[in-house]
mmCIF file of all heavy atoms in Angstrom:
data_model
loop_
_atom_site.group_PDB
_atom_site.id
_atom_site.type_symbol
_atom_site.label_atom_id
_atom_site.label_comp_id
_atom_site.label_asym_id
_atom_site.label_seq_id
_atom_site.Cartn_x
_atom_site.Cartn_y
_atom_site.Cartn_z
ATOM 1 N N LYS A 18 10.889 14.951 10.368
ATOM 2 C CA LYS A 18 11.455 15.991 9.402
ATOM 3 C C LYS A 18 10.537 17.146 9.507
ATOM 4 O O LYS A 18 9.275 17.088 9.767
ATOM 5 C CB LYS A 18 11.727 15.542 7.980
ATOM 6 C CG LYS A 18 10.464 15.045 7.190
ATOM 7 C CD LYS A 18 9.569 16.190 6.516
ATOM 8 C CE LYS A 18 8.420 15.609 5.771
ATOM 9 N NZ LYS A 18 7.375 16.596 5.438
ATOM 10 N N LEU A 19 11.095 18.426 9.142
ATOM 11 C CA LEU A 19 10.287 19.574 8.900
ATOM 12 C C LEU A 19 10.639 20.006 7.478
ATOM 13 O O LEU A 19 11.812 19.892 7.004
ATOM 14 C CB LEU A 19 10.646 20.705 9.922
ATOM 15 C CG LEU A 19 10.287 20.563 11.389
ATOM 16 C CD1 LEU A 19 10.776 21.685 12.137
ATOM 17 C CD2 LEU A 19 8.749 20.397 11.501
ATOM 18 N N ASN A 20 9.676 20.651 6.812
ATOM 19 C CA ASN A 20 9.972 21.335 5.463
ATOM 20 C C ASN A 20 10.112 22.837 6.031
ATOM 21 O O ASN A 20 9.116 23.444 6.337
ATOM 22 C CB ASN A 20 8.862 21.123 4.606
ATOM 23 C CG ASN A 20 8.593 19.642 4.215
ATOM 24 O OD1 ASN A 20 7.730 19.106 4.792
ATOM 25 N ND2 ASN A 20 9.297 19.259 3.131
ATOM 26 N N THR A 38 12.001 22.140 -1.773
ATOM 27 C CA THR A 38 11.829 22.184 -0.312
ATOM 28 C C THR A 38 13.175 22.071 0.350
ATOM 29 O O THR A 38 14.103 21.434 -0.207
ATOM 30 C CB THR A 38 10.776 21.143 0.169
ATOM 31 O OG1 THR A 38 10.451 21.225 1.515
ATOM 32 C CG2 THR A 38 11.260 19.641 -0.207
ATOM 33 N N VAL A 39 13.166 22.469 1.624
ATOM 34 C CA VAL A 39 14.298 22.282 2.438
ATOM 35 C C VAL A 39 13.889 21.372 3.633
ATOM 36 O O VAL A 39 12.885 21.623 4.256
ATOM 37 C CB VAL A 39 14.884 23.622 3.004
ATOM 38 C CG1 VAL A 39 15.857 23.328 4.153
ATOM 39 C CG2 VAL A 39 15.433 24.386 1.909
ATOM 40 N N PHE A 40 14.565 20.198 3.654
ATOM 41 C CA PHE A 40 14.252 19.185 4.792
ATOM 42 C C PHE A 40 15.324 19.407 5.901
ATOM 43 O O PHE A 40 16.512 19.402 5.573
ATOM 44 C CB PHE A 40 14.454 17.825 4.263
ATOM 45 C CG PHE A 40 13.417 17.296 3.374
ATOM 46 C CD1 PHE A 40 13.570 17.116 1.984
ATOM 47 C CD2 PHE A 40 12.085 16.951 3.752
ATOM 48 C CE1 PHE A 40 12.568 16.555 1.126
ATOM 49 C CE2 PHE A 40 11.155 16.390 2.998
ATOM 50 C CZ PHE A 40 11.423 16.110 1.655
ATOM 51 N N THR A 41 14.802 19.458 7.035
ATOM 52 C CA THR A 41 15.745 19.263 8.166
ATOM 53 C C THR A 41 15.244 18.124 9.036
ATOM 54 O O THR A 41 13.949 18.007 9.333
ATOM 55 C CB THR A 41 15.908 20.624 9.086
ATOM 56 O OG1 THR A 41 16.935 20.310 9.986
ATOM 57 C CG2 THR A 41 14.649 20.952 9.775
ATOM 58 N N ASP A 143 8.589 11.208 0.151
ATOM 59 C CA ASP A 143 9.403 11.769 1.250
ATOM 60 C C ASP A 143 10.356 10.689 1.803
ATOM 61 O O ASP A 143 11.151 10.998 2.722
ATOM 62 C CB ASP A 143 8.485 12.186 2.349
ATOM 63 C CG ASP A 143 7.894 13.575 2.286
ATOM 64 O OD1 ASP A 143 8.360 14.236 1.354
ATOM 65 O OD2 ASP A 143 7.004 13.973 2.975
ATOM 66 N N VAL A 146 14.830 11.056 1.319
ATOM 67 C CA VAL A 146 15.730 12.016 2.083
ATOM 68 C C VAL A 146 16.175 11.442 3.377
ATOM 69 O O VAL A 146 17.266 11.666 3.907
ATOM 70 C CB VAL A 146 14.929 13.390 2.343
ATOM 71 C CG1 VAL A 146 13.787 13.253 3.301
ATOM 72 C CG2 VAL A 146 15.906 14.385 2.894
ATOM 73 N N ASN A 152 20.529 16.802 6.043
ATOM 74 C CA ASN A 152 19.649 17.989 5.798
ATOM 75 C C ASN A 152 19.747 18.392 4.283
ATOM 76 O O ASN A 152 20.944 18.415 3.827
ATOM 77 C CB ASN A 152 19.839 19.105 6.767
ATOM 78 C CG ASN A 152 19.520 18.766 8.126
ATOM 79 O OD1 ASN A 152 18.690 17.850 8.328
ATOM 80 N ND2 ASN A 152 20.212 19.229 8.994
ATOM 81 N N SER A 153 18.652 18.665 3.560
ATOM 82 C CA SER A 153 18.801 18.742 2.135
ATOM 83 C C SER A 153 17.920 19.829 1.545
ATOM 84 O O SER A 153 16.848 20.128 2.021
ATOM 85 C CB SER A 153 18.312 17.510 1.512
ATOM 86 O OG SER A 153 19.005 16.250 1.968
ATOM 87 N N ALA A 155 15.636 19.802 -1.771
ATOM 88 C CA ALA A 155 15.115 18.790 -2.575
ATOM 89 C C ALA A 155 14.444 19.431 -3.692
ATOM 90 O O ALA A 155 13.671 20.500 -3.519
ATOM 91 C CB ALA A 155 14.261 17.820 -1.779
ATOM 92 N N GLY A 159 10.806 15.662 -4.845
ATOM 93 C CA GLY A 159 11.254 15.459 -3.488
ATOM 94 C C GLY A 159 12.520 14.597 -3.427
ATOM 95 O O GLY A 159 13.102 14.300 -2.376
ATOM 96 N N ILE A 167 22.223 23.746 7.508
ATOM 97 C CA ILE A 167 21.202 24.592 8.163
ATOM 98 C C ILE A 167 21.641 25.044 9.459
ATOM 99 O O ILE A 167 22.246 24.350 10.241
ATOM 100 C CB ILE A 167 19.994 23.677 8.236
ATOM 101 C CG1 ILE A 167 19.360 23.356 6.915
ATOM 102 C CG2 ILE A 167 18.786 24.407 9.117
ATOM 103 C CD1 ILE A 167 18.268 22.389 6.787
#
Side-chain angles (χ1 to χ4, degrees):
K18 59 84 177 164
L19 292 174
N20 298 91
T38 186
V39 171
F40 285 110
T41 186
D143 279 351
V146 69
N152 295 328
S153 303
I167 290 172

